[in-house]
Amino acid sequence: MKYYIIAGEASGDLHGSNLMKALYHEDANAEIRFWGGDLMQKIGGTLVKHYRELAFMGFAEVLQNLKTILNNIKICKSDIEHFNPDVIIFIDYPGFNMRIAKWAKEKGIKTHYYISPQIWAWKENRIKAIKRDFDKLYVILPFEKDFYEKKHHFPVEFVGHPLIDAIHNRKIIDANVFRKENNLDDKPIIAILPGSRKQEISKMLSVMLSIVSDFPDYQFVIAGAPSQEYSFYEPFLKGKNIKFIANKTYDLLSNSYAALVTSGTATLETALFKVPEVVCYKGGWVSYQIAKRIITLKYISLVNLIMDEEVVTELIQDNCNSKTIKAELTKILEKNHRQFLLKKYDDLEQKLGGIGASEKTAKLIVDSLK
């Protein structure tokens, strides 16, 4: 069968790659064409467009790049028509994917959504479009099943969280080898995860690095995003004793003692690696002013949302500054607070279910097409 997959971000590339592996296992004759990234490309199929050409965040940034976005939608529709797939599998990335889904549904193409949009956070009125435009919905957070089925009477499949698969299936590198290969010393590592898009990295990295000199007994290591070149990070590193490692975030987290993390999927990844973290977020002023008026969630990190309590500290906008980051990092380096966090991380993993999200989803997709 023919599968068309659309992933528009680094996290979608990761989960898309694991889903593709599972699809090839379930369907030996699978033909896959996709929008994604390097990880998906390594699995096989044909890459149409890389997600680095699609990543725009915030209201202002989207408006500035509207012409490019509309052109990408046009290219995508044309490519789908030419490929004529049995199903389109949409992975998150709702602003783009829901436009394509509406068009595809009208064309009579089967539409499956893996990792549904977070309409429980904002734009809940999107439920009308989801009910209208999608044949199947696969959710990855435990509270989402009740949200869709009990509140909106729309049946969905809870498949578990694919991050557990990604972490479980990774190739484990020896700690000493990791340090030697990356020119790291014996000091405990504090990982800095400033995001994957240029806009958020530019906002976050300077303030995250501002406290480095206050922690001389630790070494700080930046996790470089696969979508960005080293030259983009270089100006932030001048004059600072900070290491930079690209495309090895999981290796870095598995060897880290603590972390400063920009809000997003990385907050959950860090927790699943059992690394105490402080969540930091600064957005563009206009985007933030709009967002805070329409988003009614108590928390911004997935860790706290899933647990429905403040497990990790969230430093947002003006509260994300050198003084608060230093204070909160000091706290998670202390033994008692670390033990509290690690216990909560264990509870979090149990809530998310076990391994096998990718395999469950692929089987459900293939069976539904048969």
Side-chain angles (χ1 to χ4, degrees):
M1 284 179 280
K2 296 166 77 172
Y3 306 85
Y4 200 99
I5 304 175
I6 306 175
E9 301 170 294
S11 59
D13 180 37
L14 171 64
H15 303 321
S17 68
N18 286 322
L19 180 64
M20 284 170 67
K21 280 184 201 172
L23 284 171
Y24 281 127
H25 183 263
E26 289 289 329
D27 180 0
N29 299 313
E31 292 180 56
I32 301 177
R33 196 166 173 86
F34 63 92
W35 294 47
D38 299 342
L39 296 176
M40 294 172 76
Q41 199 166 17
K42 285 179 184 176
I43 304 302
T46 302
L47 174 66
V48 180
K49 195 174 274 282
H50 200 287
Y51 69 78
R52 70 169 66 96
E53 300 178 54
L54 311 173
F56 305 108
M57 65 177 293
F59 302 95
E61 291 83 4
V62 167
L63 287 174
Q64 289 166 7
N65 293 281
L66 191 56
K67 186 177 179 181
T68 301
I69 294 167
L70 292 174
N71 189 51
N72 283 335
I73 289 170
K74 184 179 178 181
I75 292 168
C76 187
K77 289 177 180 178
S78 176
D79 195 63
I80 291 169
E81 282 194 303
H82 184 262
F83 185 56
N84 191 28
D86 293 289
V87 63
I88 304 173
I89 303 166
F90 302 90
I91 301 180
D92 201 2
Y93 199 51
F96 186 91
N97 275 337
M98 290 186 69
R99 284 172 175 257
I100 300 296
K102 182 178 187 296
W103 168 86
K105 186 71 172 178
E106 291 169 353
K107 291 281 184 181
I109 305 170
K110 286 187 170 61
T111 53
H112 290 206
Y113 214 150
Y114 176 45
I115 308 178
S116 63
Q118 297 176 348
I119 65 169
W120 37 266
W122 71 303
K123 290 193 176 180
E124 191 168 343
N125 61 342
R126 278 179 166 173
I127 187 64
K128 296 175 184 176
I130 288 173
K131 286 183 173 182
R132 181 191 66 215
D133 298 333
F134 292 96
D135 298 305
K136 300 283 183 181
L137 194 62
Y138 309 99
V139 301
I140 63 171
L141 299 172
F143 60 80
E144 289 181 317
K145 188 170 177 66
D146 281 350
F147 173 82
Y148 281 106
E149 294 189 342
K150 292 184 178 179
K151 186 172 184 180
H152 293 292
H153 312 291
F154 184 62
V156 301
E157 296 282 355
F158 171 61
V159 294
H161 206 294
L163 275 180
I164 296 176
D165 288 350
I167 291 169
H168 183 265
N169 295 334
R170 79 191 190 282
K171 182 181 178 181
I172 299 174
I173 186 170
D174 178 78
N176 292 325
V177 171
F178 173 75
R179 287 175 182 265
K180 186 175 181 181
E181 286 183 349
N182 294 285
N183 195 29
L184 302 176
D185 58 36
D186 293 331
K187 292 179 182 178
I189 295 169
I190 296 177
I192 296 183
L193 280 65
S196 60
R197 301 183 184 97
K198 284 185 177 179
Q199 293 100 327
E200 64 185 346
I201 296 169
S202 296
K203 286 282 182 187
M204 296 308 310
L205 202 46
S206 293
V207 69
M208 291 170 117
L209 297 178
S210 66
I211 50 83
V212 169
S213 60
D214 295 309
F215 297 87
D217 296 331
Y218 298 85
Q219 58 186 324
F220 288 75
V221 182
I222 296 171
S227 56
Q228 306 299 338
E229 301 292 333
Y230 173 73
S231 58
F232 175 70
Y233 294 90
E234 202 168 10
F236 297 96
L237 305 177
K238 286 181 180 177
K240 293 185 173 70
N241 184 25
I242 300 162
K243 301 293 185 181
F244 176 89
I245 300 177
N247 304 328
K248 296 181 182 178
T249 300
Y250 281 11
D251 289 342
L252 175 59
L253 285 174
S254 66
N255 287 281
S256 293
Y257 191 72
L260 301 177
V261 187
T262 295
S263 177
T265 305
T267 62
L268 184 56
E269 290 173 310
T270 303
L272 291 173
F273 271 100
K274 306 302 182 347
V275 180
E277 65 183 302
V278 179
V279 176
C280 308
Y281 179 77
K282 273 181 179 286
W285 188 85
V286 174
S287 297
Y288 176 71
Q289 292 301 319
I290 296 171
K292 76 176 185 178
R293 286 164 172 77
I294 60 177
I295 297 175
T296 57
L297 296 175
K298 288 189 289 184
Y299 309 110
I300 64 167
S301 70
L302 282 171
V303 176
N304 292 345
L305 285 168
I306 294 164
M307 295 297 289
D308 195 26
E309 63 175 298
E310 188 175 8
V311 174
V312 296
T313 298
E314 300 177 350
L315 302 178
I316 305 170
Q317 209 65 7
D318 292 340
N319 198 35
C320 182
N321 55 60
S322 300
K323 183 179 178 181
T324 55
I325 293 174
K326 178 183 175 181
E328 293 301 329
L329 180 55
T330 299
K331 188 187 295 184
I332 65 171
L333 294 174
E334 294 169 353
K335 183 179 178 182
N336 288 343
H337 197 72
R338 292 180 63 79
Q339 289 177 337
F340 163 79
L341 282 173
L342 296 177
K343 171 64 172 65
K344 289 293 184 180
Y345 286 171
D346 288 339
D347 297 342
L348 170 74
E349 190 166 356
Q350 290 213 344
K351 274 197 169 190
L352 288 173
I355 61 173
S358 306
E359 288 77 10
K360 289 174 197 168
T361 306
K363 189 172 190 316
L364 287 166
I365 291 169
V366 173
D367 287 350
S368 74
L369 296 177
K370 287 177 182 176

